[in-house]
């Protein structure tokens, strides 16, 4: 028996920590309490009849926890003081020792450990539906579909090899293939082995294996299994024969992309503005698509000669609802190039503000992947490939960043300023990491204006050009 569970109430919350043979479970609210009880019951350390996971915690609760654990004493630590109201329950299940799982317990299914792992990941992420997390969900579900939902300790190296072989033939963009997307995973593999559709890139296969390895390494840390069965899958097999580095757009590409006739045909403002903003700023597609009107700002900056410069800029942050950034260095201020101002961008901003829209580009679907996903699909599939005839697979919307960065390097823009504009991390050298300052707003503005962009026949924005569209998408 574990004895009495020390608990203390503060600000209406339940504050305690249960330490069982090295496994540390903590709760700071009723939801956290229920999760602690669920975890203990899952590991066969709790008698459900004694403490129900649905029961509400109270300061004087006494929990009798049974189990054959007698190797080391169990302690319960009561916290003193208060926990901020925003604190979220974060049970730490990453430090379980060899005695956490009783020898008499039946092997736990793969799906149960997967769900526990994903719950743990989601609670430690600011954006649980970000691409990395979605990939974990997708890949682990694929493993279950391929090898079956068997006890975790019965997944073998043969199963690992079979998953790796399945990934070698797994169709790329399967969701776009009607004959494949609604059939079981094993049938997908059998069909692909016969028909040989375009498979996943080796880099994508490698990412999937890394996701699987992360899960099984976690299970090893948990002492649920002795070894990772996917240890036999060598990552060197996924090395690309030819580098897949994307290419910058050529002058001919840019003239085709911003052809006046095609620009005038755009009935939606994001199709007109987002590619242009990407070219003159190097911003990522989601960074542009998720902008709010309030993110278009200006600041008066004084240079070394005491001259004042009014600089309009994009305030790239993750602070508004639905916004998210790739890394912490992505949070930055990107000056608005004079070419955009000359094209009438600030006029468009005023019109969107007057229409009552919070979003700079209203009407975009804010689904998984962010509002930029719809723009990427339209641009890559329809505008770039079909209308402009640019079929080089190394050229996509993201190549606007490659184009701007290449121009900046050719013009001698210091690396620290390029990294600031692009939202990249500082270098790994001691000077870059410790001593060299990132680019200021004025330095970034001067750098962008220095770039030698090709002369394009950009059609200036006409006031009211997207008035009918804005009227429809902002209507109550």
């Amino acid at each position: 028996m574990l004895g009495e569970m020390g608990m203390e109430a503060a600000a209406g919350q339940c504050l305690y920590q249960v330490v069982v043979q090295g496994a540390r479970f903590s709760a700071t609210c009723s939801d956290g309490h229920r999760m602690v009880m669920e975890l203990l019951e899952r590991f066969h350390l709790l008698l459900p009849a004694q403490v129900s996971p649905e029961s509400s915690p109270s300061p004087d609760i006494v929990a009798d926890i049974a189990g054959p654990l007698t190797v080391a004493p169990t302690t319960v630590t009561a916290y003193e003081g208060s926990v901020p109201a925003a604190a979220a329950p974060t049970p730490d299940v990453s430090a379980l020792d060899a005695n956490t799982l009783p020898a008499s317990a039946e092997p736990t299914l793969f799906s149960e450990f997967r769900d526990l792992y994903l719950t743990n990941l989601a609670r430690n992420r600011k954006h649980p539906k970000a691409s990395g997390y979605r990939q974990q969900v997708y890949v682990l579900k694929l493993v279950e579909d391929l090898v079956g939902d068997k006890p975790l300790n019965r997944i073998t190296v043969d199963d690992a090899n079979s998953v790796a072989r399945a990934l070698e033939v797994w169709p790329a963009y399967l969701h776009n293939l009607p004959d494949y997307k609604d059939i079981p995973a094993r049938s997908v593999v059998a069909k692909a082995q016969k028909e040989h559709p375009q498979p996943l890139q080796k880099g994508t296969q490698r990412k999937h294996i890394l996701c699987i390895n992360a899960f099984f390494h976690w299970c090893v840390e948990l002492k649920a299994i002795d070894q990772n069965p996917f240890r036999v899958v060598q990552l060197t097999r996924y090395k690309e024969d030819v580098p897949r580095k994307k290419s910058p757009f050529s002058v001919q590409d840019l003239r085709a992309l911003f052809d006046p006739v095609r620009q005038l045909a755009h009935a939606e403002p994001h199709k007109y503005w987002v590619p242009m903003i990407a070219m003159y700023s190097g911003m990522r597609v989601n960074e542009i698509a998720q902008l709010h009107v309030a993110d278009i700002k200006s600041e008066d900056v004084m240079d070394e000669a005491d001259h004042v410069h009014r600089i309009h800029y994009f305030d790239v942050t993750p602070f508004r609802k639905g916004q998210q950034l790739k890394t912490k260095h992505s949070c930055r201020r990107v000056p608005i190039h004079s070419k955009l101002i000359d094209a009438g961008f600030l006029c468009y901003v005023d019109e969107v503000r007057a229409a009552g829209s919070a979003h700079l580009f209203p009407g975009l679907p804010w689904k998984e992947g962010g509002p930029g996903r719809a723009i990427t699909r339209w641009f890559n599939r329809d505008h770039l490939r079909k209308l402009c005839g640019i079929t080089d697979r190394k050229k996509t919307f993201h190549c606007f960043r490659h184009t701007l960065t290449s121009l900046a390097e050719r013009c001698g823009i210091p690396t620290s300023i390029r990294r600031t504009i692009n939202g990249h991390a500082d270098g790994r050298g001691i000077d870059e990491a410790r001593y060299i300052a990132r680019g200021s707003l004025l330095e970034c503005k001067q750098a962008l204006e220095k770039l030698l962009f090709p002369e394009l026949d950009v059609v200036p924005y006409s006031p009211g050009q997207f008035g009918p569209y804005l009227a429809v998408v902002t209507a109550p």
Side-chain angles (χ1 to χ4, degrees), residues 106-156:
E106 288 295 325
T108 308
L109 294 176
F110 169 85
S111 61
E112 294 178 299
F113 273 94
R114 178 203 62 203
D115 293 345
L116 184 60
Y117 173 73
L118 293 175
T119 299
N120 217 29
L121 281 184
R123 286 177 176 269
N124 290 316
R125 297 183 67 92
K126 183 176 180 181
H127 299 287
K129 292 187 178 181
S131 59
Y133 178 79
R134 294 200 312 272
Q135 184 181 21
Q136 289 274 6
V137 174
Y138 173 80
V139 173
L140 294 179
K141 181 64 170 66
L142 181 59
V143 172
E144 179 186 345
D145 292 343
L146 290 172
V147 305
D149 189 16
K150 61 177 69 175
L152 191 71
N153 61 1
R154 294 180 189 170
I155 296 179
T156 66

Side-chain angles (χ1 to χ4, degrees), residues 109-227:
L109 294 176
F110 169 85
S111 61
E112 294 178 299
F113 273 94
R114 178 203 62 203
D115 293 345
L116 184 60
Y117 173 73
L118 293 175
T119 299
N120 217 29
L121 281 184
R123 286 177 176 269
N124 290 316
R125 297 183 67 92
K126 183 176 180 181
H127 299 287
K129 292 187 178 181
S131 59
Y133 178 79
R134 294 200 312 272
Q135 184 181 21
Q136 289 274 6
V137 174
Y138 173 80
V139 173
L140 294 179
K141 181 64 170 66
L142 181 59
V143 172
E144 179 186 345
D145 292 343
L146 290 172
V147 305
D149 189 16
K150 61 177 69 175
L152 191 71
N153 61 1
R154 294 180 189 170
I155 296 179
T156 66
V157 295
D158 289 337
D159 292 323
N161 281 322
S162 69
V163 171
R165 287 193 296 270
L167 290 177
E168 289 176 355
V169 300
W170 194 263
Y173 309 106
L174 182 141
H175 57 281
N176 291 332
L177 304 177
D179 294 339
Y180 283 87
K181 66 178 183 179
D182 294 324
I183 62 177
R186 295 182 187 179
S187 300
V188 169
V189 174
K191 186 177 178 66
Q193 288 172 337
K194 295 179 180 178
E195 299 179 356
H196 306 289
Q198 179 187 346
L200 297 174
Q201 296 282 355
K202 287 185 178 181
T204 303
Q205 296 178 44
R206 182 177 183 274
K207 289 180 182 178
H208 288 352
I209 294 296
L210 287 174
C211 287
I212 299 170
N213 274 332
F215 166 73
F216 279 104
H217 284 318
W218 179 82
C219 293
V220 172
E221 291 282 327
L222 211 64
K223 303 300 181 184
I225 53 177
D226 295 328
Q227 288 184 308

Side-chain angles (χ1 to χ4, degrees), residues 421-439:
I421 294 172
N422 283 328
H424 288 157
D426 297 323
R428 296 185 179 181
I430 186 66
D431 288 344
E432 293 88 345
R434 299 283 183 180
Y435 298 107
I436 299 177
R438 294 177 71 82

